[in-house]
């Protein structure tokens, strides 16, 4: 794998904190690597089991998060463009650490923005494997993550019109939108319901994270608990409360 580090998501960030670098000097070698990979891929002969020889693990890049003023929506839009236009394998996000307490850099009183970094990785995963676009996850009107919940759950809470999803009828991509159901679990659900109709006990055995999923799904037309309401504040409160009770060891009731 080869990596050409973007350093900062925007040109303004580069000018301010890495003035010896320009967008062009970073993107030009990215383009060369992309073209080299594409050319090598076209030259692969059928019997070459090792695959391509030029940068076989692809290229990647890294962005520092929290040192410059970009919002989360700007960052994931840049990542989306890099995946689309330069064929990147991975974008890595690095939470800013103020090592030398330079006055031109943000204060380090609250430490590095590790939770923000984590949410960016989760959003990146949604774009690469779940079919989400940057504009699905955030928007100019809502440009930053709700750090209290993961990005997919946050998306679901803002699009409650798509829920509840019926487990025994929903297609693969509809299942992927449900918090608590990932790529492998969606495949398991589709495979399992070929032989029988699934209920909540079946979903638990399969591995679905019901503490999040139950607000967004039905089995055979009914929700897991009669008093569940499909309302954003209600769902957030219960998800966060269940997390607290899990940590403290208290039982969770609905």
């Amino acid at each position: 794998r080869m990596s050409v580090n973007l350093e900062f998501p925007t040109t303004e960030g580069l000018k301010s904190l890495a003035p010896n670098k320009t967008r062009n000097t970073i993107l030009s070698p990215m383009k060369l690597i992309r073209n080299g990979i594409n050319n090598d891929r076209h030259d692969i002969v059928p019997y070459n089991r090792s695959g391509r020889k030029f940068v076989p693990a692809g290229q990647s890049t890294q962005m520092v998060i929290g040192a410059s003023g970009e919002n989360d929506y700007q960052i994931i839009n840049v990542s989306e463009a890099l995946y689309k236009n330069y064929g990147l394998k991975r974008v890595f996000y690095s939470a800013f650490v103020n090592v030398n307490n330079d006055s031109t850099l943000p204060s380090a009183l609250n430490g590095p923005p590790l939770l923000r970094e984590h949410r960016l990785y989760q959003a990146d995963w949604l774009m690469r494997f779940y079919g989400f676009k940057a504009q699905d996850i955030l928007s100019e009107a809502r440009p930053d993550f709700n750090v209290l919940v993961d990005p997919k759950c946050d998306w679901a809470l803002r699009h409650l019109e798509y829920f509840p999803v019926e487990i025994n009828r929903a297609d693969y991509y509809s299942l992927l939108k449900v918090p608590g159901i990932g790529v492998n679990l969606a495949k398991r659900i589709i495979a399992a319901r070929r032989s029988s109709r699934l209920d909540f006990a079946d979903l638990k055995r399969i591995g679905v994270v019901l503490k999040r999923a139950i607000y967004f799904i039905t089995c055979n037309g009914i929700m897991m608990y009669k008093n569940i309401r499909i309302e954003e504040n209600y769902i957030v409160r219960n998800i966060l409360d269940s997390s607290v009770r899990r940590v403290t060891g208290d039982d969770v009731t609905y």
Side-chain angles (χ1 to χ4, degrees):
R1 180 173 294 179
M2 293 183 71
S3 182
V4 181
N5 285 350
L6 192 66
E7 307 297 3
F8 299 99
T10 63
T11 301
E12 292 73 19
L14 278 175
K15 287 180 179 178
S16 175
L17 300 175
N20 292 328
K21 291 191 174 185
T22 67
R23 200 60 165 224
N24 184 60
T25 58
I26 295 171
L27 296 180
S28 292
M30 277 189 182
K31 184 177 180 180
L32 288 174
I33 297 170
R34 178 203 64 191
N35 292 344
I37 292 172
N38 289 340
N39 292 337
D40 188 51
R41 184 182 292 118
H42 295 152
D43 293 337
I44 293 176
V45 293
Y47 57 82
N48 185 356
R49 295 186 62 187
S50 64
R52 64 175 186 264
K53 297 179 180 179
F54 181 75
V55 195
Q59 69 165 319
S60 60
T61 193
Q62 181 184 33
M63 289 187 276
V64 177
I65 304 304
S68 44
E70 298 86 9
N71 59 45
D72 296 329
Y73 184 53
Q74 289 176 293
I75 294 169
I76 62 173
N77 267 290
V78 170
S79 298
E80 184 178 64
L82 291 172
Y83 285 126
K84 179 180 179 180
N85 299 325
Y86 294 88
L88 263 65
K89 195 75 172 178
R90 286 294 304 274
V91 174
F92 293 94
Y93 308 94
S94 181
F96 168 68
V97 179
N98 192 335
V99 176
N100 60 2
N101 295 316
D102 191 303
S103 61
T104 62
L105 296 170
S107 169
L109 292 177
N110 297 322
L114 296 174
L115 184 53
R116 185 184 183 194
E117 175 192 288
H118 181 57
R119 296 303 183 211
L120 284 165
Y121 273 115
Q122 290 177 317
D124 189 278
W125 194 267
L126 293 180
M127 291 191 294
R128 290 192 293 133
F129 298 108
Y130 285 69
F132 282 79
K133 296 180 180 179
Q135 63 184 12
D136 296 327
I137 302 170
L138 292 171
S139 65
E140 291 183 359
R142 194 167 180 173
D144 293 304
F145 295 117
N146 176 356
V147 296
L148 297 177
V149 295
D150 67 85
K152 188 167 81 165
C153 186
D154 189 36
W155 177 89
L157 290 167
R158 289 184 284 111
H159 295 85
L160 291 174
E161 67 272 16
Y162 295 115
F163 300 101
V165 165
E166 169 53 46
I167 285 294
N168 289 291
R169 292 196 304 270
D171 62 32
Y172 174 74
Y173 289 101
S174 296
L175 291 173
L176 282 183
K177 298 293 193 295
V178 176
I181 297 179
V183 172
N184 292 331
L185 289 175
K187 293 177 181 177
R188 289 180 197 171
I189 289 170
I190 290 175
R193 71 190 189 188
R194 292 191 184 114
S195 56
S196 63
R197 295 186 68 80
L198 305 180
D199 58 24
F200 288 100
D202 296 321
L203 297 181
K204 186 175 182 179
R205 282 193 293 270
I206 289 172
V208 173
V209 185
L210 287 176
K211 67 177 180 289
R212 291 202 300 274
I214 58 173
Y215 305 100
F216 306 97
I217 60 174
T218 58
C219 285
N220 302 307
I222 62 173
M223 303 196 79
M224 188 170 182
Y225 301 104
K226 292 181 180 179
N227 60 339
I228 289 178
R229 302 195 304 271
I230 305 179
E231 299 173 0
E232 181 174 356
N233 291 337
Y234 169 83
I235 295 171
V236 171
R237 184 172 65 253
N238 278 275
I239 288 176
L240 296 181
D241 284 350
S242 67
S243 298
V244 171
R245 286 194 287 270
R246 188 174 67 254
V247 172
T248 60
D250 296 332
D251 291 334
V252 179
T253 56
Y254 298 89

